[in-house]
Amino acid sequence: MAGPLSGMTVIEASAFIAAPYAGLNLAQMGAEVIRIDPIGGGLDYNRWPVTDTGTSLYWTGLNKGKKSVTINIRTPEGLDLAQSLMLGKPGDGGGIVLTNLPARGWLDYEALKAKRPDLIMANIVGRRDGGVALDYTVNAKTGFPMVTGPLDHQDPINSVMPVWDVVTGLSAVNAVLIADRHRKDTGEGQYIRLALADSALSTLSHLGYIAEVQVTDTDRPRTGNHVYGSFAHDFSTSDGRRVMITAFTARHWTALVAATETDAAMNTLAARHGLDLKQEEARYALRDEIVTILTPWFEARPLSIIGEVLDQHNACWGPYQTFRQMAEEDPDVSEQNPMFNQIDQPGVGTYLAAGAFADFSGFDRNPAEPAPVIGQDTADVLGQHLDLNSAQLADLRDRGIIN
């Protein structure tokens, strides 16, 4: 694909979410991303959700627009092929490796660097000390599950969104681009180690969660569907739907009050408590009473009318919807949104897929492209990057070194 990263070649050796997600984003910005897997597929090749015929929608979703090479790296020749792809050729835009597998053996950075000093490797690990961690174990230690869920619930509630995998994947994209910039300026390579756990802990620090405990000696409470320190809450509608309303700024608040025609009731509430509801902390302090005032307005109207009125006043809101409602009814999940286009995915069929979400003024947006069939690019990649001819490729295939 064309794009701002056209000319960059990244070799990806990965599984699960963080590293494939990073590779996906690089590919959709124009980089040539070549994924190396064992013959028959790696650890995540059949991960759910899958189609009726067993094709993984998870794998195809995370590997759109990449090239797939399958090599038996347990053989000396296979290992040499894989490492030769990682090393690339000086000046060819390659020499960049993205992985969340252990950086040893065929992925040993120092051994590879000895052959190409300007090699860049971004290595995603679980914990900084080398211990095993996944998004769900990392999230457990962040504290978020202890403040998620209904007010009267005592046990932790996990998030089903693997947010730390996504954060770490996007951080790996940044790391690759920074290292590539540094290499262009200095000729030096880099080994970049990104710990999944540290991505979560750094976020906790940046958003004030750690300082809140250490400086104010405050334990963040469970607030249900309120938002700590501000006003936001969910409301039911007359047709059995629910909406989320937020009023983080004075403008948000003014728009919400005007849309719901609750000016008089809110002024009375503010006067009774001697507070200014244009102040965020005042709205949080009086959140339960505000919800009581707003509830009848929402319960008396269907979602369509509520949305129309709130949009007219430029209030900040969103409907709660299932995955099905989102996929089938939301206009943002359609070709009205230039991020989406139809792809014909082998083994899956035709469906709507997202391309690059960043919209550059100087580049055309890359459309989504199907994920490869496992191993489909082996011959082309080895021929192009390693100058292997058809006879050599046939020999490797016959001996089970490539697919």
Side-chain angles (χ1 to χ4, degrees):
M1 289 186 284
L5 298 184
S6 181
M8 173 185 285
T9 296
V10 178
I11 306 301
E12 179 188 321
S14 69
F16 301 114
I17 298 176
Y21 193 78
L24 170 66
N25 280 270
L26 291 168
Q28 292 194 323
M29 289 298 169
E32 178 187 37
V33 178
I34 301 168
R35 176 169 173 143
I36 298 178
D37 279 299
I39 294 173
L43 295 171
D44 58 348
Y45 184 55
N46 296 307
R47 197 174 189 214
W48 284 19
V50 297
T51 65
D52 291 341
T53 58
T55 300
S56 171
L57 298 174
Y58 164 97
W59 194 93
T60 53
L62 283 170
N63 292 290
K64 293 189 295 289
K66 300 178 187 178
K67 295 180 178 178
S68 173
V69 171
T70 51
I71 301 174
N72 181 0
I73 62 165
R74 297 183 183 277
T75 65
E77 288 169 283
L79 185 145
D80 183 64
L81 289 172
Q83 291 190 331
S84 295
L85 283 175
M86 288 186 278
L87 294 169
K89 302 169 184 175
D92 66 354
I96 302 174
V97 180
L98 171 65
T99 186
N100 62 337
L101 304 180
R104 56 178 182 263
W106 69 295
L107 289 167
D108 182 80
Y109 175 74
E110 292 300 328
L112 291 165
K113 181 183 176 184
K115 299 177 181 178
R116 178 167 179 167
D118 69 346
L119 182 76
I120 294 169
M121 178 181 286
N123 184 201
I124 296 171
V125 300
R127 298 196 327 226
R128 178 174 37 83
D129 63 5
V132 178
L134 292 177
D135 184 281
Y136 306 98
T137 60
V138 168
N139 196 56
K141 68 182 290 183
T142 63
F144 287 119
M146 306 307 296
V147 297
T148 300
L151 292 171
D152 58 355
H153 189 80
Q154 299 301 313
D155 297 325
I157 294 181
N158 290 335
S159 169
V160 297
M161 163 63 184
V163 63
W164 306 121
D165 279 327
V166 171
V167 169
T168 306
L170 293 176
S171 297
V173 171
N174 285 338
V176 167
L177 298 181
I178 291 167
D180 184 57
R181 168 71 178 273
H182 179 76
R183 183 169 71 175
K184 289 177 178 176
D185 290 343
T186 67
E188 296 177 351
Q190 293 281 339
Y191 173 68
I192 311 146
R193 197 164 181 265
L194 302 99
L196 188 71
D198 282 351
S199 77
L201 296 176
S202 66
T203 302
L204 287 165
S205 173
H206 301 330
L207 298 183
Y209 289 92
I210 295 174
E212 184 177 25
V213 173
Q214 296 181 339
V215 176
T216 70
D217 194 29
T218 299
D219 290 316
R220 179 70 65 97
R222 179 175 261 134
T223 58
N225 280 348
H226 290 288
V227 172
Y228 183 64
S230 190
F231 179 76
H233 204 261
D234 62 308
F235 295 90
S236 61
T237 70
S238 66
D239 54 348
R241 297 290 298 273
R242 294 193 78 84
V243 296
M244 184 66 183
I245 306 297
T246 64
F248 289 0
T249 69
R251 187 191 65 76
H252 291 163
W253 175 250
T254 301
L256 175 61
V257 170
T260 56
E261 301 176 322
T262 53
D263 309 62
M266 294 302 179
N267 289 336
T268 299
L269 174 65
R272 186 166 69 249
H273 291 277
L275 295 174
D276 179 4
L277 289 177
K278 290 186 177 180
Q279 300 299 314
E280 194 171 19
E281 59 272 21
R283 296 193 294 274
Y284 182 68
L286 301 181
R287 60 193 181 278
D288 290 328
E289 292 174 84
I290 292 172
V291 168
T292 299
I293 292 171
L294 291 173
T295 294
W297 188 88
F298 288 94
E299 290 183 340
R301 293 164 176 81
L303 176 63
S304 59
I305 298 300
I306 288 170
E308 182 179 335
V309 174
L310 293 175
D311 285 342
Q312 286 174 354
H313 288 81
N314 204 25
C316 189
W317 74 284
Y320 284 87
Q321 53 192 17
T322 65
F323 293 133
R324 178 176 294 278
Q325 289 169 328
M326 175 193 62
E328 295 182 349
E329 302 172 13
D330 194 326
D332 284 336
V333 186
S334 72
E335 291 184 274
Q336 295 179 41
N337 182 343
M339 180 177 71
F340 283 99
N341 60 274
Q342 296 285 338
I343 63 171
D344 186 7
Q345 177 63 55
V348 176
T350 301
Y351 67 97
L352 199 64
F357 68 87
D359 193 1
F360 289 84
S361 62
F363 299 94
D364 291 334
R365 185 193 298 269
N366 279 328
E369 293 190 359
V373 173
I374 190 77
Q376 74 172 38
D377 304 296
T378 303
D380 288 343
V381 167
L382 296 183
Q384 176 187 345
H385 288 269
L386 303 185
D387 300 322
L388 297 184
N389 60 39
S390 58
Q392 291 171 310
L393 292 168
D395 177 61
L396 290 169
R397 190 177 297 111
D398 289 344
R399 292 188 289 124
I401 296 169
I402 63 174
N403 68 315

